Amino acid sequence: MKQKDTGVSEIRVTVWNEFRHEQDSRHPASSIYGAQGIHGAIAEGLREHGGFAVRTATLDEPEHGLTNEVLAATDVLIWWGHMAHHLVQDTIVEKVHARVLDGMGLIVLHSGHFSKIFRKLMGTTCDLKWREADDIERIWVVEPGHPIAAGLDECFELPEEMYGERFDIPAPEQLVFISWFTGGEVFRSGCCYTRGRGKIFYFRPGHESYPTYRDPNVRRVIANAARWAAPSGGPKPVFGNAQPRNK
C-alpha cells in the first residue's frame, strides 16, 4: 500500500490479541475497551501516527487470524496475550517464528512475555515478579538516542500493575526503558533483540484493567517501535553448500 500524498511505502502491521478479557462483562476490560478490544485501541494509535497499513487478528479466528497470506503481508506483528497462551496452536507459533527469523518484526506487549512465541525466541522461562494492585509505573528513558524513544520526555507515568525483577530473559541487546514502581521495584521494560533477520521489542505496560493503550506516550512508543522493527533491505544469508569464492 502507498500513502496518498507522499508515495512512501506504508509499514504493514498486524495487531494480534487473544481478545478474551474484553468480552467478559464482569471484567474491567469490557468497559475500558469493549467491542474495540485491546487490538482495536492499538491499531487506532498506529493510524493516528500515520505511515502504517494496519490489520488486526484474534485468537478465535481460523488459524488465529495468522494465515500464511496474512503473515506474508505483515512487516511487523504486535502481540498481546494473557489468559490464553496455552490455546495458541504450536503450528502457528512455528510459522510466526519462521517469519521473524526471515525478517518480520515482532513487538511483544505486557503479559505477552509468557506467550509461546516470545519464550521460544528468548529460550528462557521469561518469568518475573508481579503484583496486581493499583500502582504507578514511572518509565525512564535510558537510551534517549534510540529511535523507539523519539519524541518522549526523560520519563512518563502510568497507572499500572507492578512487574519486578528478576525478569528471566537474555540480556537485552539494547535496553531503552527501565520502570520504577511505588514499592521500590524496578523492571527492564523496553528490551530490543535480533533473531535471524528479525527485530524484536518487548514493552512492559498494558495491563488490561487500565486504558494504557489510549495513553499518548504508549501509543508513541508502539509507533516508534513498529518503525524500528520493520524489515530493512539487505541480502538474505546463504547456508549449506555455498561454494567459497575464488581468491
Side-chain angles (χ1 to χ4, degrees):
M1 297 180 67
K2 302 287 184 180
Q3 294 182 13
K4 294 180 181 179
D5 297 329
T6 67
V8 176
S9 295
E10 292 181 314
I11 297 170
R12 302 168 300 174
V13 179
T14 299
V15 183
W16 191 89
N17 174 25
E18 66 183 35
F19 195 35
R20 290 295 174 86
H21 292 298
E22 304 95 309
Q23 299 184 79
D24 181 353
S25 61
R26 300 164 298 177
H27 196 283
S30 66
S31 58
I32 293 171
Y33 294 107
Q36 180 190 37
I38 287 171
H39 53 294
I42 294 169
E44 179 182 75
L46 289 167
R47 294 185 182 111
E48 284 178 357
H49 278 265
F52 301 101
V54 188
R55 73 170 80 204
T56 61
T58 57
L59 178 69
D60 291 328
E61 295 177 44
E63 299 185 63
H64 308 324
L66 299 175
T67 63
N68 290 338
E69 293 74 18
V70 167
L71 288 174
T74 298
D75 297 318
V76 179
L77 177 62
I78 298 176
W79 192 280
W80 194 98
H82 182 212
M83 63 181 293
H85 299 311
H86 63 290
L87 297 179
V88 176
Q89 298 173 25
D90 291 340
T91 54
I92 303 301
V93 175
E94 292 297 330
K95 290 198 299 183
V96 172
H97 183 265
R99 282 287 292 124
V100 171
L101 297 185
D102 194 44
M104 182 182 73
L106 178 66
I107 300 171
V108 177
L109 301 172
H110 191 59
S111 47
H113 71 90
F114 253 164
S115 64
K116 289 182 178 181
I117 183 58
F118 190 63
R119 294 172 75 179
K120 181 177 179 67
L121 287 162
M122 295 297 104
T124 57
T125 69
C126 299
D127 205 352
L128 48 79
K129 183 185 300 181
W130 62 276
R131 181 179 66 251
E132 186 172 357
D134 291 334
D135 208 326
I136 296 295
E137 178 178 12
R138 182 175 298 160
I139 301 172
W140 289 93
V141 178
V142 294
E143 283 294 342
H146 197 281
I148 294 176
L152 299 174
D153 292 332
E154 67 174 0
C155 69
F156 61 94
E157 293 186 351
L158 298 166
E160 268 288 345
E161 72 171 332
M162 185 278 288
Y163 278 10
E165 297 288 347
R166 187 180 186 277
F167 187 15
D168 186 24
I169 53 173
E173 294 166 21
Q174 294 172 299
L175 181 62
V176 184
F177 305 118
I178 290 177
S179 292
W180 170 90
F181 296 88
T182 57
E185 301 91 354
V186 294
F187 190 79
R188 291 168 290 171
S189 54
C191 304
C192 299
Y193 299 93
T194 53
R195 294 291 185 271
R197 289 161 52 88
K199 297 178 183 177
I200 302 162
F201 180 62
Y202 173 78
F203 188 43
R204 197 222 72 87
H207 184 50
E208 66 278 358
S209 296
Y210 299 99
T212 301
Y213 296 117
R214 295 206 175 96
D215 181 88
N217 286 309
V218 170
R219 287 184 164 187
R220 180 177 294 278
V221 169
I222 293 173
N224 288 347
R227 295 189 185 99
W228 170 83
S232 56
K236 289 190 176 183
V238 177
F239 300 106
N241 295 322
Q243 297 298 315
R245 294 179 298 172
N246 293 325
K247 294 185 178 180

